[in-house]
Amino acid sequence: KEVPLPINPILMAYGNISPSAYVLEIFKGIKSSELEESLLVLPFSYVPDILKLFNEFIQLGSDIELLCRCLFFLLRIHFGQITSNQMLVPVIEKLKETTISKVSQVRDVIGFNMAGLEYLKRECEAKSEVMFFADATSQLEEKKRKRKKREKLILTYT
C-alpha cells in the first residue's frame, strides 16, 4: 500500500507547482536592485544545485535574461570555488552550451521583432502621417518649454 507524500503548503499556495518551479518564482520575485545582494548572501553549498536548476530553466527558455544575470553573478563571486570543484565542471560545460544556444535564439527573436516593429512603424507613418510616441513626446516637451517661456515673459512684463 502506497502512502501519499504530504503536499507542501507553500507549493500548494503557488498552484501546486514543483519545488524547482518554486525556486524560479522566488528568483522572479526578487527586486532587480536587490538581486545581486540576495545572491551574495546565498551560501556556496546551494550554488551547485542552483546551477543545475538554471541549466534546466534555460533549456526550457524560462526567463533567460534573469537567469543569465544570476548565473553570471554567481560565476563571478564563486569563480575559484566553482572551477576547483571537479564535480561542477560538467555542470558548467552544460550551462555554457545551453546558455550560448538559448541567448542566441533570444537575440534572433528580439532582432526579428525589432525589424518587424520598425517596418510597422514606417507603414503606419506612411499611411496616416502619424508620429509615434517618442516623436510626439519630444514635440510635447518643446511646446511645454515654449509655453513656460511665454509665461515667464508675461510675468516679467506685469
Side-chain angles (χ1 to χ4, degrees):
K1 189 169 152 178
E2 253 183 68
V3 177
L5 292 172
I7 299 173
N8 185 309
I10 294 173
L11 299 180
M12 284 292 291
Y14 276 84
N16 205 18
I17 60 175
S18 69
S20 59
Y22 174 72
V23 172
L24 180 59
E25 288 302 315
I26 294 302
F27 275 107
K28 287 163 56 173
I30 299 172
K31 290 181 187 174
S32 182
S33 59
E34 297 172 356
L35 186 62
E36 289 182 355
E37 190 176 335
S38 301
L39 291 170
L40 206 52
V41 297
L42 182 73
F44 179 74
S45 59
Y46 291 107
V47 171
D49 292 329
I50 287 180
L51 292 178
K52 291 172 189 165
L53 282 176
F54 283 0
N55 192 46
E56 289 175 29
F57 296 144
I58 292 171
Q59 280 177 340
L60 295 172
S62 303
D63 298 278
I64 302 292
E65 185 180 341
L66 170 69
L67 293 172
C68 284
R69 186 171 169 213
C70 294
L71 171 64
F72 298 148
F73 185 76
L74 285 174
L75 289 173
R76 209 173 336 138
I77 62 173
H78 296 296
F79 182 78
Q81 291 169 296
I82 290 171
T83 53
S84 64
N85 186 336
Q86 288 302 310
M87 291 174 57
L88 285 178
V89 171
V91 174
I92 296 300
E93 285 298 319
K94 283 181 196 168
L95 262 169
K96 178 183 167 188
E97 291 170 22
T98 306
T99 304
I100 289 171
S101 167
K102 285 296 177 179
V103 167
S104 177
Q105 287 176 10
V106 169
R107 189 180 298 137
D108 291 346
V109 168
I110 290 172
F112 181 80
N113 289 346
M114 291 295 291
L117 287 171
E118 280 297 319
Y119 173 77
L120 290 173
K121 178 183 173 189
R122 285 192 306 272
E123 286 291 307
C124 288
E125 286 176 346
K127 283 182 183 173
S128 60
E129 298 180 16
V130 173
M131 284 180 287
F132 272 83
F133 190 72
D135 302 327
T137 303
S138 62
Q139 283 192 349
L140 180 66
E141 287 173 1
E142 184 66 31
K143 284 181 183 178
K144 281 183 183 176
R145 269 190 243 114
K146 287 180 181 177
R147 189 181 321 124
K148 283 184 182 179
K149 266 187 178 178
R150 256 187 274 125
E151 288 172 358
K152 284 181 183 177
L153 284 174
I154 292 170
L155 287 175
T156 55
Y157 287 122
T158 50

